[in-house]
Amino acid sequence: DMKVTQMPRYLIKRMGENVLLECGQDMSHETMYWYRQDPGLGLQLIYISYDVDSNSEGDIPKGYRVSRKKREHFSLILDSAKTNQTSVYFCASSLYRSSYEQYFGPGTRLTVL
Amino acid sequence: SQWGEENLQALSIQEGEDVTMNCSYKTYTTVVHWYRQDSGRGPALIILIRSNEREKRSGRLRATLDTSSQSSSLSITAAQCEDTAVYFCATELNMGYKLTFGTGTSLLVDP
């Protein structure tokens, strides 16, 4: 069963704290993505990873960094979280390029107080 | 219709009706993805249409793509309550590595 998992599902942090969001996939997909979704908006791309240690900025990378040391695992890190980073974060993966279907995880709802 | 800069659109219909959602995009693309997102879940691909197809069907879904007008549509025939969701179109950029999502259309199907 093809699956993208995200941990944790819900997270509350205080401004200035560090945040680690984790994503895993069991499909050996090359490409992985991090998006954020805010109310009334579509998904905004934060980072793309083409493979292990091959990452590229998306449309809104400021304030975020990523790590991909294994093909099946992709992390999003917020160093010193800000209140405007309160959002729902989605991880996705695709076999190769996005010409192929992107499989999304269930999302992590992050609240920064 | 949805567009990168428009607010979320909302549609409300009765079960059994047909509905069409429109998507306009700014940058040339050869592929349009349509995703649906159920409340509290991640988006899931429902249909993908390429420029050489112009129209594609999957069950009660029908997607069209007009690259000359840079627009796509998604139609649902005889909508059911379980079709209630937010529907996003997405276009490809950067050699297919990047998708740009529209703002979405929220569809409510009443029994």
Side-chain angles (χ1 to χ4, degrees):
Chain A
D1 191 21
M2 296 182 288
K3 201 171 181 181
V4 176
T5 58
Q6 291 185 238
M7 291 292 290
R9 294 294 314 279
Y10 302 91
L11 186 61
I12 299 175
K13 287 286 192 177
R14 295 198 179 278
M15 191 169 60
E17 292 185 329
N18 297 332
V19 176
L20 173 65
L21 304 184
E22 312 230 45
C23 174
Q25 49 99 358
D26 61 1
M27 298 168 278
S28 296
H29 283 174
E30 277 191 358
T31 312
M32 296 185 74
Y33 310 81
W34 276 107
Y35 295 90
R36 65 177 283 176
Q37 185 176 39
D38 299 298
L41 299 178
L43 292 124
Q44 297 176 275
L45 180 64
I46 306 172
Y47 266 95
I48 304 172
S49 175
Y50 302 114
D51 210 328
V52 171
D53 283 330
S54 180
N55 306 317
S56 180
E57 294 181 346
D59 296 324
I60 53 164
K62 188 177 179 182
Y64 304 94
R65 61 184 176 94
V66 293
S67 175
R68 191 166 180 205
K69 298 300 183 184
K70 294 182 179 180
R71 177 172 279 193
E72 64 271 18
H73 191 250
F74 191 33
S75 301
L76 180 69
I77 301 119
L78 288 67
D79 294 315
S80 188
K82 300 173 181 54
T83 56
N84 62 7
Q85 292 178 308
T86 292
S87 187
V88 181
Y89 291 86
F90 287 99
C91 175
S93 72
S94 65
L95 183 59
Y96 301 117
R97 308 177 307 166
S98 60
S99 294
Y100 297 84
E101 176 176 2
Q102 286 194 17
Y103 293 83
F104 282 82
T108 294
R109 183 174 294 276
L110 172 66
T111 301
V112 183
L113 302 175
Chain B
S1 59
Q2 57 180 289
W3 176 269
E5 298 170 3
E6 288 184 346
N7 293 326
L8 177 69
Q9 303 296 303
L11 295 173
S12 182
I13 62 172
Q14 297 296 122
E15 199 169 31
E17 292 182 351
D18 299 341
V19 62
T20 296
M21 291 166 270
N22 297 303
C23 168
S24 299
Y25 53 90
K26 294 179 179 178
T27 306
Y28 177 78
T29 188
T30 58
V31 184
V32 173
H33 302 229
W34 282 93
Y35 285 79
R36 70 172 276 169
Q37 184 176 25
D38 297 313
S39 181
R41 304 187 71 173
L45 182 72
I46 53 174
I47 199 164
L48 186 155
I49 182 167
R50 302 184 187 278
S51 56
N52 62 352
E53 295 178 301
R54 293 190 62 84
E55 175 181 303
K56 190 166 184 180
R57 293 177 185 269
S58 176
R60 293 183 294 106
L61 303 178
R62 173 179 172 264
T64 66
L65 175 58
D66 184 346
T67 54
S68 63
S69 64
Q70 297 193 166
S71 64
S72 177
S73 70
L74 176 71
S75 299
I76 303 176
T77 302
Q80 308 295 308
C81 291
E82 53 265 31
D83 295 325
T84 292
V86 178
Y87 292 82
F88 293 97
C89 65
T91 56
E92 292 191 357
L93 295 172
N94 191 23
M95 302 293 290
Y97 277 104
K98 177 180 167 181
L99 287 182
T100 298
F101 284 81
T103 49
T105 297
S106 177
L107 176 65
L108 174 64
V109 183
D110 286 319

